[in-house]
Amino acid sequence: MGSSRRKHSREFKIEAVKQVVVKGRPVSEVAEGLGVNPNMLSRWKTELWSDGAVAFPGNGKASANDEEVRRLRRELATAQQERDILKKAVVFFAKAKS
């Protein structure tokens, strides 16, 4: 059987990164002490550095950029459907006049 995936809270991740950044402890040491993979701790550090206060939004909570991309994709799909309907209507009315 595979191991179940562990979930860490936003606060846990921030405190882990603080131990590396603020206290100057090595990533491998902090990761071993917390029982996480050093690569994961490095990724948390990078994510916190790049996203700042909006890092680690939680389960099912998309970042503002991700939500905007979803909204724009929905709008594009709607516009494409409307375009296709109009194309079919042009063909239909062209045949009706002939």
Side-chain angles (χ1 to χ4, degrees):
M1 284 264 186
S3 62
S4 63
R5 186 173 173 173
R6 296 185 331 188
K7 296 180 182 178
H8 302 285
S9 69
R10 181 176 194 276
E11 292 77 20
F12 178 85
K13 294 175 184 179
I14 291 172
E15 287 302 317
V17 172
K18 278 184 184 179
Q19 288 185 22
V20 174
V21 175
V22 176
K23 296 181 181 177
R25 295 177 57 199
V27 171
S28 58
E29 180 184 310
V30 174
E32 184 178 333
L34 295 174
V36 298
N37 189 308
N39 293 333
M40 183 173 292
L41 182 54
S42 294
R43 190 176 74 220
W44 292 346
K45 181 181 167 188
T46 303
E47 187 175 340
L48 187 60
W49 180 260
S50 65
D51 296 342
V54 295
F56 319 123
N59 293 338
K61 298 176 185 171
S63 68
N65 289 339
D66 292 340
E67 188 59 38
E68 182 179 10
V69 168
R70 278 196 201 106
R71 181 184 60 79
L72 291 172
R73 285 185 178 156
R74 281 193 307 266
E75 287 180 15
L76 176 61
T78 301
Q80 288 173 335
Q81 288 175 348
E82 290 171 353
R83 177 203 61 203
D84 292 343
I85 290 170
L86 290 173
K87 281 183 181 180
K88 290 176 185 178
V90 166
V91 170
F92 175 79
F93 288 118
K95 287 181 182 178
K97 286 188 175 183
S98 299

